[in-house]
Amino acid sequence: MLADSVVVVTGGGNGIGAAMARKFAAQGAHVVVADLDAGAAGRVADDVGGLAVGGDAASEEGVRRLVDAALDRYGRIDVFCANAGVAHAGGPEAPEESWAQAWEVNVMAHVRAARAVLPHWLERGGGHFLATVSAAGLLTMLGSAPYAVSKHGALAFAEWLAVTYGDRGITVQALCPQGVRTDMLGNSGETGQRLLADGALEPEEVADVVLESFADKRFLILPHSEVGEYYALRAADPDRWQGGMRKLQRRVQQA
């Protein structure tokens, strides 16, 4: 499916984004690698023979510049991977700047990307939007309210897109891994390490699952299969699920 397709990957300079860029290119895709770190984007783009676009893919101007660069080079965009994300620790006491950045990067970047590519896709009669959401969007993330809340927003927006545009040829998928061995996990502090490090996957493993999911176009992409079980329990018996999470919270606090 990816041979000769044009794929944009934000946050493509490192981690999951870089792994997806390399996997997509190996399948014959033309990859546009976007990252706030222009040097990192350039290195990955050089590896895959693609196009690097440095800049803030969360801003309206940055998204428009990215989309225009892809269209100018390749004439179309087949897949847009809204992969860039940020994580901040804390709860209501977290600084306003942390909450604002989480909302801008984890939610509004997806909204602005869709705003930019939807007219192109609707005119062509098809397109593919992949949102990197995280298991936190299905469940929660202890110790990081800005991350958990904004990732719930990202999932809600992806679901809305899927329902609204699914009959118009547009595929939407939400990638929801738990721990992945990236800089984000490394910077997650003691709580993140205790909760996620043991079962963490390599970025390349996550990218492999993404490729597999493209075949059946399932909405939820779950590299950690147990996340689906947790999500079902959360929906069926929220009190029991919250009880289990509170027990986990107590263990983290005691540690």
Side-chain angles (χ1 to χ4, degrees), residues 2 23 59 62 66 69 71 81 85 113 118 125 138 145 150 156 166 187 192 206 208 211 218 249:
L2 287 173
K23 293 287 185 180
S59 69
L66 170 60
L71 293 176
C81 301
L118 275 170
L138 294 170
S150 59
N187 296 329
V206 175
D208 284 336
L211 278 178
R218 59 187 181 272
Q249 174 73 14

Side-chain angles (χ1 to χ4, degrees), residues 56 58 84-86 100-110 112 151:
D56 183 6
V86 295
Q101 188 185 41
W103 187 256
E104 285 292 303
V105 178
N106 295 345
V107 181
M108 291 308 299
H110 297 200
R112 291 165 183 148
K151 289 299 187 177

Side-chain angles (χ1 to χ4, degrees), residues 71-97:
L71 293 176
D72 287 346
R73 170 68 69 90
Y74 298 111
R76 70 185 195 280
I77 295 171
D78 299 299
V79 183
F80 193 104
C81 301
N83 172 73
V86 295
H88 296 289
E93 80 287 353
E96 284 287 316
E97 294 80 4

Side-chain angles (χ1 to χ4, degrees), residues 127-169:
H128 192 141
F129 191 90
L130 175 69
T132 299
V133 171
S134 158
L138 294 170
L139 306 170
T140 192
M141 179 59 194
L142 298 181
S144 182
Y147 188 71
V149 171
S150 59
K151 289 299 187 177
H152 273 68
L155 180 69
F157 182 65
E159 185 175 64
W160 185 91
L161 283 179
V163 170
T164 303
Y165 294 103
D167 288 339
R168 301 179 70 179

Side-chain angles (χ1 to χ4, degrees), residues 195-219:
L195 294 173
L196 302 173
D198 284 348
L201 300 176
E202 296 296 338
E204 293 75 16
E205 295 178 282
V206 175
D208 284 336
V209 176
V210 170
L211 278 178
E212 293 169 5
S213 76
F214 277 10
D216 60 22
K217 300 182 179 180
R218 59 187 181 272
F219 176 67

